Amino acid sequence: SFGLTSAAAIAVSLIVSFTLTPMLAARWIRPKSPKSQAPEVPSQGESDNAEGLEALDLGHGTDSKSGWLWRKIDGTYTWLLRLAMRFRWAVVLICILTVASIVPLYKFVGMAFLPDEDESLFQVNLRGPQGTSLSATQSMLDRIARDIRGEVPGVKNTLVLAGFGRGSGSNNGFINVALLPVAERKKSQADLINQVRGIAKKYSSKDYQVTVSAASSIAGSIGLGRGGSGVGYYIAGPNMAKLTEYANAMVEKMKQDPIYRDPDTSIEVGNPEVRVRIDRAKAADLGVRAGDVAQALNIHSAGQITSTFSENSKLYDVVVRAEEQYRRDRSNFGNFAVGSSKGGTVDLARVVKIDEGLAPSSINRLNRQRQVTVSAGLPPNASESDAVAKMERFAKDLNMPAEYLTGVTGQSKELQKAYDAFLYAFLLSFVFMYLILAAQFESFIHPITILLTLPLSIPFALLSTAIAGQTLNIFSALGILLLFGIVKKNAILQIDHTNTLRARGLARYDAIIQANRDRLRPILMTTLALVAGMIPLTLGSGAGAATNRSIGILVVGGQSMCLLLTLLAVPVFYSLFDDAKEFRIFRIFGAASDKLFSVFRRKRADA
């Protein structure tokens, strides 16, 4: 949707610039008097000295650019431009250092899947011990909800649901806490969540676990099981006891790191069960098979349909099972009988041993492997990529056998997919821009000069995000693509006008200086217009403000801070690549490209 919207807007602006803008200019712009007309571009001989360059400046005498402020801006930029052209390799070194700063800045800023949006809603999750009744869970949730409504300002209402949440048993439940709109409360959602987390600690114990997390519209659909900003990591393998051991070890390490909030595992051990162990040798001697034991236990405890009977045109199942008084006590299982292949029946107590134990309430699987998920919440504006990297280090430190697999899941998995997709999109954008620019300039060198300025904008975009205390996310990453288009546009203006002046006979150095001075004003105008248009995004509030702010801050800060460097780097790169044409390999490559483009020009002329 972002790409379609941008492409449609640019297409409409192209039509307007070819039709409406010239028509309005012809009607509204007054013709200048003969005295104010700018002189013609001097000849090659005149342009080689300072007088030729000064002659080009005479036309600005009666222009609106002759104001005091513009003279200061133009004079300062011209001085910096001459200085940059004099020390070109110093500018190249600054550009290299700037691009190299992308890696440390990215590590400092970090990346999250979604911005921390104030949706006026968060969730309190409760998990009690196995066997907790639904009424006990409901009572605990009601007490927590009552404290939240009484102690936390800005709470609109609470909704308590017992028997639901991260688990499906009667020991699970959650509270949806709805807040007043942002404009009607003094504290942010993050501050209120921290306050509720303090209330939750009063109810948390060894048996009861109470966690608080922001609501998320996608958390449930991607399988994380935790709302808001969070990370998920799975461990899969054959042995459930080992999985539980590894998961608990990771949780203990995560509890020691302040970046994680309420780390927990998806497994709930504590569900009582009866384990029946068959004495294989004795059962074989008595002619009892394991399947017969399982069938006998199923008939006596759960029951089995043996036949049906009809009454009043209706069929009813006949279920055979032991009476309730025998099913109520586990010790009676040994009195059940099982059929023998040698004839007659055998008491189960002779061939089985019955033990009591605890087991997981449910077992999740991934690719037919048993799986345990370790998840945790994150504080506002925390880097999900850093949190996932730490979890990967924790898992590596456990030295698990080869048959145990690990990986990210839920929102963390979506973050990695988005990261890879953006790298692919950035690569394709560079390729497409190069192809289009090569065709427009009829050169393979000038597009490289333009595209070299694009990485210069990334460090400043990351720096502006860091200054605002935010992290990169899938929305602000789209702003980098928008930033590429703006920086590329400025470089096109500079190089195209430089080529035009050189084609008219002006020397390279003079053409570079004059072209960049001429294009400084439109570049500043478009940049200021863009920044002004983005200011409402950076200052907005209400629903969706965090998403808009993440894009606005990145574009405004990145474009504002990289503007001067790109204005100086483009002419420097242009001159360096022009000097490189003197090398033999570039002369051969240039001759081949000129021949190729000449064929295209002839075909275009014929058409």
mmCIF file of all heavy atoms in Angstrom, residues 291-317:
data_model
loop_
_atom_site.group_PDB
_atom_site.id
_atom_site.type_symbol
_atom_site.label_atom_id
_atom_site.label_comp_id
_atom_site.label_asym_id
_atom_site.label_seq_id
_atom_site.Cartn_x
_atom_site.Cartn_y
_atom_site.Cartn_z
ATOM 1 N N GLY A 291 -2.235 -53.995 24.684
ATOM 2 C CA GLY A 291 -3.473 -53.428 24.158
ATOM 3 C C GLY A 291 -4.685 -53.851 24.959
ATOM 4 O O GLY A 291 -5.643 -53.074 25.128
ATOM 5 N N ASP A 292 -4.652 -55.100 25.474
ATOM 6 C CA ASP A 292 -5.770 -55.559 26.300
ATOM 7 C C ASP A 292 -5.841 -54.779 27.606
ATOM 8 O O ASP A 292 -6.931 -54.474 28.108
ATOM 9 C CB ASP A 292 -5.619 -57.047 26.583
ATOM 10 C CG ASP A 292 -5.702 -57.891 25.318
ATOM 11 O OD1 ASP A 292 -6.332 -57.409 24.357
ATOM 12 O OD2 ASP A 292 -5.122 -58.991 25.294
ATOM 13 N N VAL A 293 -4.644 -54.447 28.185
ATOM 14 C CA VAL A 293 -4.609 -53.663 29.430
ATOM 15 C C VAL A 293 -5.205 -52.285 29.183
ATOM 16 O O VAL A 293 -6.026 -51.788 29.972
ATOM 17 C CB VAL A 293 -3.175 -53.555 29.960
ATOM 18 C CG1 VAL A 293 -3.117 -52.610 31.161
ATOM 19 C CG2 VAL A 293 -2.630 -54.921 30.326
ATOM 20 N N ALA A 294 -4.798 -51.635 28.092
ATOM 21 C CA ALA A 294 -5.320 -50.301 27.784
ATOM 22 C C ALA A 294 -6.830 -50.336 27.562
ATOM 23 O O ALA A 294 -7.567 -49.453 28.022
ATOM 24 C CB ALA A 294 -4.607 -49.747 26.551
ATOM 25 N N GLN A 295 -7.299 -51.392 26.863
ATOM 26 C CA GLN A 295 -8.731 -51.484 26.597
ATOM 27 C C GLN A 295 -9.519 -51.719 27.888
ATOM 28 O O GLN A 295 -10.592 -51.155 28.093
ATOM 29 C CB GLN A 295 -9.001 -52.601 25.597
ATOM 30 C CG GLN A 295 -10.458 -52.689 25.164
ATOM 31 C CD GLN A 295 -10.683 -53.777 24.129
ATOM 32 O OE1 GLN A 295 -9.810 -54.605 23.900
ATOM 33 N NE2 GLN A 295 -11.860 -53.767 23.515
ATOM 34 N N ALA A 296 -8.975 -52.538 28.785
ATOM 35 C CA ALA A 296 -9.666 -52.801 30.048
ATOM 36 C C ALA A 296 -9.772 -51.540 30.886
ATOM 37 O O ALA A 296 -10.833 -51.248 31.474
ATOM 38 C CB ALA A 296 -8.924 -53.904 30.813
ATOM 39 N N LEU A 297 -8.679 -50.798 30.973
ATOM 40 C CA LEU A 297 -8.711 -49.543 31.733
ATOM 41 C C LEU A 297 -9.702 -48.560 31.123
ATOM 42 O O LEU A 297 -10.414 -47.843 31.836
ATOM 43 C CB LEU A 297 -7.311 -48.918 31.779
ATOM 44 C CG LEU A 297 -6.289 -49.614 32.682
ATOM 45 C CD1 LEU A 297 -4.907 -49.017 32.477
ATOM 46 C CD2 LEU A 297 -6.707 -49.488 34.143
ATOM 47 N N ASN A 298 -9.758 -48.519 29.812
ATOM 48 C CA ASN A 298 -10.675 -47.597 29.143
ATOM 49 C C ASN A 298 -12.130 -47.985 29.407
ATOM 50 O O ASN A 298 -12.988 -47.124 29.656
ATOM 51 C CB ASN A 298 -10.391 -47.598 27.641
ATOM 52 C CG ASN A 298 -11.299 -46.634 26.884
ATOM 53 O OD1 ASN A 298 -11.290 -45.440 27.157
ATOM 54 N ND2 ASN A 298 -12.085 -47.165 25.963
ATOM 55 N N ILE A 299 -12.424 -49.305 29.389
ATOM 56 C CA ILE A 299 -13.807 -49.757 29.620
ATOM 57 C C ILE A 299 -14.226 -49.462 31.049
ATOM 58 O O ILE A 299 -15.326 -48.945 31.302
ATOM 59 C CB ILE A 299 -13.937 -51.258 29.307
ATOM 60 C CG1 ILE A 299 -13.747 -51.509 27.803
ATOM 61 C CG2 ILE A 299 -15.291 -51.794 29.768
ATOM 62 C CD1 ILE A 299 -13.711 -52.973 27.432
ATOM 63 N N HIS A 300 -13.355 -49.764 32.003
ATOM 64 C CA HIS A 300 -13.733 -49.617 33.396
ATOM 65 C C HIS A 300 -13.807 -48.169 33.856
ATOM 66 O O HIS A 300 -14.666 -47.813 34.663
ATOM 67 C CB HIS A 300 -12.752 -50.403 34.287
ATOM 68 C CG HIS A 300 -12.897 -51.883 34.183
ATOM 69 N ND1 HIS A 300 -12.280 -52.621 33.201
ATOM 70 C CD2 HIS A 300 -13.607 -52.793 34.929
ATOM 71 C CE1 HIS A 300 -12.583 -53.899 33.338
ATOM 72 N NE2 HIS A 300 -13.401 -54.039 34.374
ATOM 73 N N SER A 301 -12.905 -47.307 33.370
ATOM 74 C CA SER A 301 -12.857 -45.923 33.866
ATOM 75 C C SER A 301 -13.676 -44.972 33.003
ATOM 76 O O SER A 301 -14.480 -44.187 33.515
ATOM 77 C CB SER A 301 -11.407 -45.437 33.944
ATOM 78 O OG SER A 301 -10.808 -45.499 32.652
ATOM 79 N N ALA A 302 -13.466 -45.008 31.666
ATOM 80 C CA ALA A 302 -14.175 -44.080 30.779
ATOM 81 C C ALA A 302 -15.424 -44.678 30.181
ATOM 82 O O ALA A 302 -16.385 -43.972 29.880
ATOM 83 C CB ALA A 302 -13.243 -43.606 29.659
ATOM 84 N N GLY A 303 -15.429 -45.992 29.988
ATOM 85 C CA GLY A 303 -16.585 -46.647 29.393
ATOM 86 C C GLY A 303 -16.416 -46.868 27.912
ATOM 87 O O GLY A 303 -15.621 -46.200 27.237
ATOM 88 N N GLN A 304 -17.182 -47.835 27.391
ATOM 89 C CA GLN A 304 -17.101 -48.143 25.970
ATOM 90 C C GLN A 304 -18.485 -48.508 25.462
ATOM 91 O O GLN A 304 -19.246 -49.207 26.144
ATOM 92 C CB GLN A 304 -16.133 -49.299 25.733
ATOM 93 C CG GLN A 304 -16.003 -49.697 24.263
ATOM 94 C CD GLN A 304 -14.927 -50.758 24.058
ATOM 95 O OE1 GLN A 304 -13.946 -50.807 24.779
ATOM 96 N NE2 GLN A 304 -15.148 -51.632 23.084
ATOM 97 N N ILE A 305 -18.815 -48.044 24.274
ATOM 98 C CA ILE A 305 -20.109 -48.362 23.661
ATOM 99 C C ILE A 305 -20.062 -49.787 23.148
ATOM 100 O O ILE A 305 -19.212 -50.151 22.330
ATOM 101 C CB ILE A 305 -20.419 -47.383 22.513
ATOM 102 C CG1 ILE A 305 -20.469 -45.938 23.032
ATOM 103 C CG2 ILE A 305 -21.715 -47.761 21.825
ATOM 104 C CD1 ILE A 305 -20.659 -44.912 21.948
ATOM 105 N N THR A 306 -20.968 -50.607 23.642
ATOM 106 C CA THR A 306 -20.993 -52.023 23.243
ATOM 107 C C THR A 306 -22.107 -52.338 22.255
ATOM 108 O O THR A 306 -21.972 -53.247 21.428
ATOM 109 C CB THR A 306 -21.158 -52.916 24.491
ATOM 110 O OG1 THR A 306 -22.369 -52.555 25.171
ATOM 111 C CG2 THR A 306 -19.960 -52.744 25.426
ATOM 112 N N SER A 307 -23.222 -51.614 22.358
ATOM 113 C CA SER A 307 -24.345 -51.857 21.436
ATOM 114 C C SER A 307 -25.301 -50.681 21.512
ATOM 115 O O SER A 307 -25.041 -49.699 22.211
ATOM 116 C CB SER A 307 -25.066 -53.167 21.797
ATOM 117 O OG SER A 307 -25.653 -53.054 23.094
ATOM 118 N N THR A 308 -26.412 -50.773 20.813
ATOM 119 C CA THR A 308 -27.457 -49.749 20.841
ATOM 120 C C THR A 308 -28.815 -50.423 20.979
ATOM 121 O O THR A 308 -28.960 -51.622 20.670
ATOM 122 C CB THR A 308 -27.441 -48.905 19.549
ATOM 123 O OG1 THR A 308 -27.666 -49.765 18.432
ATOM 124 C CG2 THR A 308 -26.115 -48.170 19.387
ATOM 125 N N PHE A 309 -29.773 -49.690 21.465
ATOM 126 C CA PHE A 309 -31.146 -50.215 21.478
ATOM 127 C C PHE A 309 -32.080 -49.120 20.997
ATOM 128 O O PHE A 309 -31.790 -47.920 21.105
ATOM 129 C CB PHE A 309 -31.523 -50.711 22.876
ATOM 130 C CG PHE A 309 -31.886 -49.627 23.840
ATOM 131 C CD1 PHE A 309 -33.213 -49.250 24.029
ATOM 132 C CD2 PHE A 309 -30.907 -48.983 24.579
ATOM 133 C CE1 PHE A 309 -33.548 -48.261 24.920
ATOM 134 C CE2 PHE A 309 -31.235 -47.992 25.478
ATOM 135 C CZ PHE A 309 -32.560 -47.621 25.663
ATOM 136 N N SER A 310 -33.196 -49.537 20.460
ATOM 137 C CA SER A 310 -34.143 -48.616 19.853
ATOM 138 C C SER A 310 -35.388 -48.520 20.724
ATOM 139 O O SER A 310 -35.906 -49.523 21.236
ATOM 140 C CB SER A 310 -34.534 -49.098 18.450
ATOM 141 O OG SER A 310 -35.536 -48.273 17.895
ATOM 142 N N GLU A 311 -35.880 -47.287 20.860
ATOM 143 C CA GLU A 311 -37.099 -47.038 21.611
ATOM 144 C C GLU A 311 -37.776 -45.808 21.019
ATOM 145 O O GLU A 311 -37.159 -44.732 20.940
ATOM 146 C CB GLU A 311 -36.810 -46.815 23.089
ATOM 147 C CG GLU A 311 -38.081 -46.633 23.934
ATOM 148 C CD GLU A 311 -37.776 -46.470 25.398
ATOM 149 O OE1 GLU A 311 -36.603 -46.632 25.783
ATOM 150 O OE2 GLU A 311 -38.705 -46.177 26.169
ATOM 151 N N ASN A 312 -39.017 -45.987 20.625
ATOM 152 C CA ASN A 312 -39.785 -44.896 20.015
ATOM 153 C C ASN A 312 -39.047 -44.280 18.823
ATOM 154 O O ASN A 312 -38.915 -43.066 18.697
ATOM 155 C CB ASN A 312 -40.105 -43.815 21.045
ATOM 156 C CG ASN A 312 -40.973 -44.325 22.172
ATOM 157 O OD1 ASN A 312 -41.814 -45.211 21.968
ATOM 158 N ND2 ASN A 312 -40.778 -43.786 23.379
ATOM 159 N N SER A 313 -38.532 -45.176 17.977
ATOM 160 C CA SER A 313 -37.834 -44.770 16.750
ATOM 161 C C SER A 313 -36.556 -43.978 17.035
ATOM 162 O O SER A 313 -36.085 -43.224 16.184
ATOM 163 C CB SER A 313 -38.770 -43.939 15.853
ATOM 164 O OG SER A 313 -39.921 -44.673 15.505
ATOM 165 N N LYS A 314 -36.000 -44.097 18.217
ATOM 166 C CA LYS A 314 -34.753 -43.438 18.551
ATOM 167 C C LYS A 314 -33.727 -44.468 19.004
ATOM 168 O O LYS A 314 -34.079 -45.435 19.687
ATOM 169 C CB LYS A 314 -34.960 -42.398 19.642
ATOM 170 C CG LYS A 314 -35.786 -41.203 19.208
ATOM 171 C CD LYS A 314 -35.869 -40.166 20.321
ATOM 172 C CE LYS A 314 -36.673 -38.948 19.875
ATOM 173 N NZ LYS A 314 -36.764 -37.912 20.938
ATOM 174 N N LEU A 315 -32.466 -44.286 18.609
ATOM 175 C CA LEU A 315 -31.386 -45.193 18.969
ATOM 176 C C LEU A 315 -30.625 -44.637 20.172
ATOM 177 O O LEU A 315 -30.308 -43.438 20.237
ATOM 178 C CB LEU A 315 -30.428 -45.371 17.792
ATOM 179 C CG LEU A 315 -30.949 -46.194 16.605
ATOM 180 C CD1 LEU A 315 -29.911 -46.224 15.498
ATOM 181 C CD2 LEU A 315 -31.305 -47.605 17.045
ATOM 182 N N TYR A 316 -30.300 -45.490 21.114
ATOM 183 C CA TYR A 316 -29.555 -45.108 22.305
ATOM 184 C C TYR A 316 -28.321 -46.006 22.426
ATOM 185 O O TYR A 316 -28.391 -47.227 22.183
ATOM 186 C CB TYR A 316 -30.423 -45.243 23.564
ATOM 187 C CG TYR A 316 -31.616 -44.320 23.576
ATOM 188 C CD1 TYR A 316 -32.841 -44.736 23.047
ATOM 189 C CD2 TYR A 316 -31.518 -43.050 24.120
ATOM 190 C CE1 TYR A 316 -33.941 -43.898 23.057
ATOM 191 C CE2 TYR A 316 -32.623 -42.203 24.141
ATOM 192 C CZ TYR A 316 -33.826 -42.614 23.606
ATOM 193 O OH TYR A 316 -34.904 -41.772 23.619
ATOM 194 N N ASP A 317 -27.189 -45.415 22.806
ATOM 195 C CA ASP A 317 -25.955 -46.176 22.994
ATOM 196 C C ASP A 317 -25.987 -46.883 24.344
ATOM 197 O O ASP A 317 -26.484 -46.343 25.353
ATOM 198 C CB ASP A 317 -24.729 -45.250 22.957
ATOM 199 C CG ASP A 317 -24.535 -44.634 21.589
ATOM 200 O OD1 ASP A 317 -24.911 -45.285 20.598
ATOM 201 O OD2 ASP A 317 -24.009 -43.499 21.513
#
